[in-house]
Amino acid sequence: MTIENNKEQRLVILDTETTGINPREGHRIVEIGCVEMINRQLTGRTYHAYIKPMQHGMQMIMDQEVINVHGLTDEFLRDKPQFDQIAQEFIDFIKGAELVIHNAKFDVGFMDHEFAMAKANLPMTHDICTVTDTLKVSKDEFGSPKTLDFLARHYRVDKLVDRTYHGALIDAQLLGFVYIEMTRKQSALNLTVGEGDSEGSDANAIKRLPINREKLKIIYATADEVTEHEKRLAVVAEKGSEPIWKN
């Protein structure tokens, strides 16, 4: 996977929850969760929808085994919109973005099935977006495909999200944190020596400061600022992590 040097690159981290594992057997999407990222930074924008699964004009009844995974019951979904009612707003959110999905074949397969079932001449996923599959990326990194749970533990972000249930928005948020760590080393530094602000120099190159420049003023933290800093580190510690400079 190549990370382009494009500050306007828009990623959408996506996950779905479904009534089963195979849309060809009539299974449907019951939840979609998306988080937006621009230039590898989470923006805070999300898309989230619960969806009433339909079959033969009636609401599907889910197996208890499936309910145990995502925590969504038939009763909870009864008053939720059908997919065709949210399809356009969903497309509007992901259109033109690069989708980042863990096991994209599964989610894209369900999305394309839903687009086709809507019978509104909706485009397929690859007509709307490009797709990066982090399951395939993990195979390149570790020699074999890894689960999202494994990656979250490996990159030490598993404590950042409460995953009592595998909700779509929750898992999309977790995958966002995993993606940031997974691709961190691919943000290459440009080590070209720049020539100040001379015309034609690379804006991303390292610029050398004059040797006779004024010394920088050192501003020390106040006692109150140190106290607030320690409080923030305590919060990080409670979530099972620690600052990188302590690793």
Side-chain angles (χ1 to χ4, degrees):
M1 179 176 56
T2 301
I3 305 302
E4 296 181 1
N5 184 20
N6 179 3
K7 291 188 177 181
E8 298 304 319
Q9 182 188 31
R10 180 172 181 263
L11 307 179
V12 171
I13 319 300
L14 180 147
D15 187 60
T16 64
E17 296 296 337
T18 66
T19 63
I21 62 173
N22 192 346
R24 294 181 181 179
E25 296 178 0
H27 293 297
R28 307 293 297 268
I29 292 176
V30 294
E31 185 185 6
I32 299 172
C34 302
V35 297
E36 182 185 63
M37 186 183 295
I38 294 179
N39 194 30
R40 301 182 66 255
Q41 299 293 321
L42 294 168
T43 67
R45 288 191 68 220
T46 64
Y47 176 81
H48 183 225
Y50 293 113
I51 301 161
K52 179 167 65 175
M54 302 295 290
Q55 190 175 53
H56 307 305
M58 300 177 63
Q59 180 177 349
M60 292 182 64
I61 303 301
M62 291 184 291
D63 294 336
Q64 187 61 45
E65 181 180 359
V66 174
I67 295 174
N68 292 342
V69 173
H70 52 54
L72 303 177
T73 65
D74 298 321
E75 179 64 28
F76 176 81
L77 295 172
R78 187 158 292 136
D79 63 349
K80 302 302 182 285
Q82 298 177 37
F83 184 87
D84 60 353
Q85 296 174 296
I86 61 92
Q88 191 57 56
E89 65 182 32
F90 172 50
I91 290 173
D92 289 344
F93 188 86
I94 66 174
K95 187 175 182 180
E98 177 182 347
L99 294 184
V100 177
I101 309 174
H102 198 70
N103 192 11
K105 182 178 180 180
F106 176 89
D107 297 270
V108 171
F110 267 96
M111 289 162 58
D112 285 345
H113 178 69
E114 293 288 357
F115 290 146
M117 290 285 290
K119 297 181 179 179
N121 294 320
L122 297 177
M124 296 293 101
T125 304
H126 285 283
D127 297 323
I128 306 169
C129 314
T130 57
V131 178
T132 291
D133 188 349
T134 50
L135 186 68
K136 293 181 179 178
V137 176
S138 71
K139 182 178 180 180
D140 294 338
E141 285 286 316
F142 299 97
S144 62
K146 301 299 181 184
T147 65
L148 180 57
D149 288 329
F150 173 91
L151 295 173
R153 291 192 300 270
H154 176 80
Y155 292 113
R156 304 175 66 183
V157 297
D158 53 312
K159 305 297 184 183
L160 298 180
V161 178
D162 180 5
R163 297 179 74 227
T164 303
Y165 291 109
H166 290 255
L169 185 60
I170 292 171
D171 281 4
Q173 291 170 335
L174 183 63
L175 181 57
F177 292 128
V178 166
Y179 179 83
I180 290 171
E181 296 302 320
M182 179 182 284
T183 60
R184 187 179 298 280
K185 66 182 181 180
Q186 297 186 38
S187 296
L189 290 175
N190 185 338
L191 300 180
T192 304
V193 177
E195 297 296 336
D197 292 325
S198 61
E199 185 177 353
S201 64
D202 184 352
N204 294 318
I206 294 175
K207 301 205 171 33
R208 305 300 182 186
L209 297 175
I211 194 170
N212 59 346
R213 68 187 183 278
E214 293 184 7
K215 290 185 178 180
L216 296 176
K217 181 180 180 181
I218 299 175
I219 302 176
Y220 295 96
T222 66
D224 289 341
E225 289 171 337
V226 171
T227 299
E228 290 301 315
H229 178 67
E230 293 299 329
K231 288 181 180 178
R232 177 55 56 185
L233 292 183
V235 172
V236 173
E238 287 178 2
K239 293 183 178 293
S241 186
E242 62 181 13
I244 58 174
W245 62 83
K246 290 188 178 182
N247 291 341

